[in-house]
Amino acid sequence: MIELIAHNLAPIMFTSVMALLLLGYPVAFTLAAGGLVFFFLGVELSIFAPDQIRLFPNLLQANANRIFDVMRNDTLLAIPFFTFMGLILERSRMAEDLLDTIGQLFGPIRGGLAYAVIFVGALLGATTGVVAASVIAMGLISLPIMMRYGYDRSLATGTIAASGTLAQIVPPSLVLIVMSDQLGRSVGDMYVGALLPAVMIVTLYCAYIFVVTLIRPKAAPALPAEFRTLGGGVLSLLVMIGLTVGLHYLLYHFVFDGLRYETRFVWSATLATATALVVSLANRYLKLGIISRLAEQVIIVLIPPLALIFLVLGTIFLGIATPTEGGAMGATGALILAFIKRRLNMTSLKEALDSTTKLTSFVMFILIGARVFGLTFYGINGHLWIEELLLSLPGGEHGFLVVVTIIVFILGCFLDFFEIAFIVVPLLVGPAEKLGIDLIWLGIILGINLQTSFLTPPFGFALFYLRSISPSKAWNDVVTGKFIEGIRTTEIYKGALPYIVIQFLAIMIVIFYPRLVTHYKDDEKPVNLDDVQIQLPGMGAPTAPGAPSGLPGLPGQDGGGGLGLPGGLNLNGAPSGLGDQSGGSQQPAQPSMGLPGLPGGLSLNAAPPLAGEPAPAPQPDLGQPPSIQ
């Protein structure tokens, strides 16, 4: 029995820890305690399975360095920056301004409010990066409005919940940051790879709303004309967009044509959008009447968050900033925007800092527990057990991806994405690499999968967030005077089902068309090993005309090579021209640094030989290390 347990300790450990997590025990402490308990158990059982269990007591000391590696991880430093940025933007009521403005813009068409929710959800995902903040903000603002104007309840709640989960996959998502760290890949590559799948998912959401408006027009009516307070003026907005794009083109090709591509693009885009913003502000405060009120409001409301997105993502994609630096700039930009809108005070700042500290500490403790768990799990060859299990699946890479998708989806119904990322994802790296699967591709598939799990009844976190702020009892709408029934939980679940189907469709598209993700490698230039030249520096004076040599020597040095120090270089202590000062046979003169020799033939390179031992052979001068060109 004991030998059976020893030979199957890895699956016993994995299932035991996962069972405790599913029962609701704190994740960080469950991982750490499970790792320590099974470590000592593995040490005791190692005599029964020495080929499988490679644990010994002193190995426990390795946890100190592993935990220190977590603390000095620069990639994870982006998490508090992006979290703080999202919380500041949430408290500056940016979502309220965006929903009101975009709702007015799309109001004349059927399903306009639903399109506005999807579009704003994508913008919030690209700025806040936090699902809870996006779902709660849009639920509080848009759900009463959609109920007021006769939207189908399931359609409204499902659209809000699904749009809020876009923060999981739209860069700069916290999921993508953690995923890139655990997969050992660049955050910038992960962001570039996630861009097209995110756009595809937003497009599929909009296509679903369009189909609903065709089949069931009354489920998503247009906004009544009396409630479109900004009036018309779409043509004026289109003209302003065209002029801004034209100005960007002129600046890029004629004004900044002598600069690098990244610098040209940044300066031309910045000046063009700044010009549009200045014109809109002048039109509002100086009563110029140049553009319509709708165009003015859309530009003033949209440009600041779009500029913030460009400040964060644009600088990362162009290679100007690292993700950590981009997060720091985004946090600073969020503070500036909140200050300009006069919505920044000490209370909101303190709340944002407190929430950021709690979330960052939560992530760090989970990661520390995962490191303790990982040391034991790898010591009992658990990674090999997982690897053999996954590599034996039929279907090659597609079979592997489909099975992993199902497993992660099920786990996502019960566990937070941080827990899945720190426990499950590292175990998938080895099998994926052996199957030749691109890890960025795998990370994006897992990110979309985790987004889907946020919507799955009955455990979807986005559904819980929406349920917590949805009115459960009937209320009297003050605008229309109508009596509106409360939202039932089954209506929220029913509304999420079509979006779950869309999410699975998106996962299948990404799996069977990896080009949507792997386009990030297009800018990589392959290195031709035949063009690599290795040139060794000279070991002194050139032995033949044209032969490479070391650093040039100064006049008076033997051979003219070496380091070129005055008076020659003598590490053995004897001045040049003198023999062996110990009374031995005369040795050839050695170049010196012009310093007196050490008495008794002492050497800086080695201790003097003991009595009866032969003198050590002279050490060759290795010169400089080889350089690779």
Side-chain angles (χ1 to χ4, degrees), residues 403-557:
V403 172
V404 167
T405 296
I406 296 173
I407 293 174
V408 173
F409 175 78
I410 296 174
L411 292 176
C413 296
F414 305 94
L415 304 178
D416 190 75
F417 75 88
F418 284 119
E419 302 156 13
I420 296 175
F422 293 146
I423 301 172
V424 179
V425 172
L427 301 176
L428 303 177
V429 174
E433 288 183 327
K434 288 195 174 181
L435 289 172
I437 296 175
D438 185 272
L439 293 185
I440 298 291
W441 181 33
L442 175 63
I444 301 303
I445 293 172
L446 294 178
I448 302 176
N449 198 343
L450 292 173
Q451 178 190 354
T452 307
S453 66
F454 266 71
L455 290 172
T456 307
F459 305 106
F461 290 102
L463 306 181
F464 290 157
Y465 299 146
L466 185 59
R467 173 71 277 179
S468 65
I469 53 92
S470 299
S472 57
K473 298 181 180 179
W475 81 94
N476 185 21
D477 184 52
V478 296
V479 177
T480 60
K482 296 180 180 179
F483 195 73
I484 302 177
E485 294 292 334
I487 305 294
R488 296 192 297 271
T489 302
T490 54
E491 292 173 334
I492 298 177
Y493 288 171
K494 180 182 176 182
L497 293 179
Y499 290 96
I500 295 174
V501 176
I502 293 174
Q503 290 290 129
F504 273 114
L505 176 62
I507 293 175
M508 292 298 105
I509 292 175
V510 174
I511 288 178
F512 291 99
Y513 189 67
R515 183 66 182 164
L516 284 172
V517 176
T518 56
H519 69 91
Y520 79 94
K521 296 189 288 188
D522 290 347
D523 294 333
E524 296 181 0
K525 297 181 179 179
V527 178
N528 187 2
L529 297 180
D530 295 334
D531 296 335
V532 177
Q533 298 180 358
I534 301 177
Q535 181 178 354
L536 296 175
M539 309 296 286
T543 56
S549 64
L551 297 176
L554 292 181
Q557 285 186 300

